[in-house]
Amino acid sequence: NFDVASLSLLVDFVPSIDNLFDDIDIDKNKGRRETTHLQLIILFSELLGVILRLDRFIMICLDDLQWCDAVVFTLINEMIISVAQNELEKQHLLFVGTYRNDEIDDGTPLNSQILKLQRSNNVNFTQINVPSLSSSEICDMLMTEMKLPRRLVRK
């Protein structure tokens, strides 16, 4: 299903995708046409599947998910659900999403997205709660990791 025309459409939106396929001649003008969000979401999901079937490992990390809109969550959901249906692809993808727990409530799109993924039988979903660090804990971490004396690390 995924062909050079599909790849051309994606290159219009993410030009660096072209760098992944050195051996394919992508006509950058061919993709210039109206493309809906849904079409792009499906194309990204298909591209992800193609790459994963090449025995590649991919980690996608998105930060501050509490600020995402419905289109982004549709993309995330489609990618994760489509990959989860193929056992090989599922083993090669790690999606990490981070958000501030104190900035979401029951009515936010992120909360409904989390519930949807938790209910999916094909998705391995793990939620890790990382509490906020105090200034003192941050100073201790800096001292340890950078091997600095306390006098050089200020609160």
Side-chain angles (χ1 to χ4, degrees):
N1 252 12
F2 198 78
D3 56 10
V4 176
S6 300
L7 195 55
S8 296
L9 284 171
L10 288 176
V11 168
D12 281 348
F13 291 92
V14 185
S16 60
I17 288 176
D18 189 23
N19 298 331
L20 297 173
F21 302 94
D22 295 334
D23 57 335
I24 299 175
D25 184 29
I26 299 171
D27 182 2
K28 292 183 174 70
N29 294 321
K30 188 174 185 178
R32 301 266 179 215
R33 65 176 200 236
E34 282 296 313
T35 308
T36 66
H37 285 124
L38 185 57
Q39 288 171 315
L40 285 173
I41 288 168
I42 292 168
L43 288 173
F44 272 114
S45 296
E46 288 178 1
L47 175 62
L48 185 61
V50 167
I51 294 169
L52 292 170
R53 283 189 296 277
L54 294 173
D55 207 24
R56 306 280 189 207
F57 292 88
I58 296 178
M59 177 179 171
I60 299 173
C61 185
L62 296 178
D63 190 19
D64 288 331
L65 289 177
Q66 73 272 11
W67 302 115
C68 291
D69 63 8
V71 173
V72 173
F73 285 127
T74 303
L75 172 63
I76 292 169
N77 189 60
E78 176 63 29
M79 287 190 319
I80 291 173
I81 297 298
S82 67
V83 165
Q85 294 174 17
N86 180 303
E87 198 58 40
L88 174 68
E89 293 176 23
K90 182 170 145 178
Q91 293 175 7
H92 286 82
L93 175 69
L94 175 63
F95 177 85
V96 177
T98 66
Y99 62 93
R100 295 176 186 267
N101 200 29
D102 58 345
E103 293 187 24
I104 66 165
D105 57 38
D106 290 343
T108 60
L110 174 57
N111 195 48
S112 62
Q113 180 68 28
I114 290 170
L115 292 172
K116 191 183 302 182
L117 290 172
Q118 285 175 329
R119 290 182 190 133
S120 173
N121 293 330
N122 294 327
V123 175
N124 296 326
F125 186 92
T126 303
Q127 195 164 8
I128 301 171
N129 186 14
V130 180
S132 298
L133 297 174
S134 69
S135 295
S136 177
E137 290 169 324
I138 293 171
C139 287
D140 289 344
M141 186 171 49
L142 288 172
M143 286 177 6
T144 302
E145 296 303 316
M146 300 178 78
K147 298 178 181 21
L148 295 172
R150 182 167 296 281
R151 64 181 168 76
L152 294 178
V153 180
R154 298 181 185 167
K155 290 184 182 182

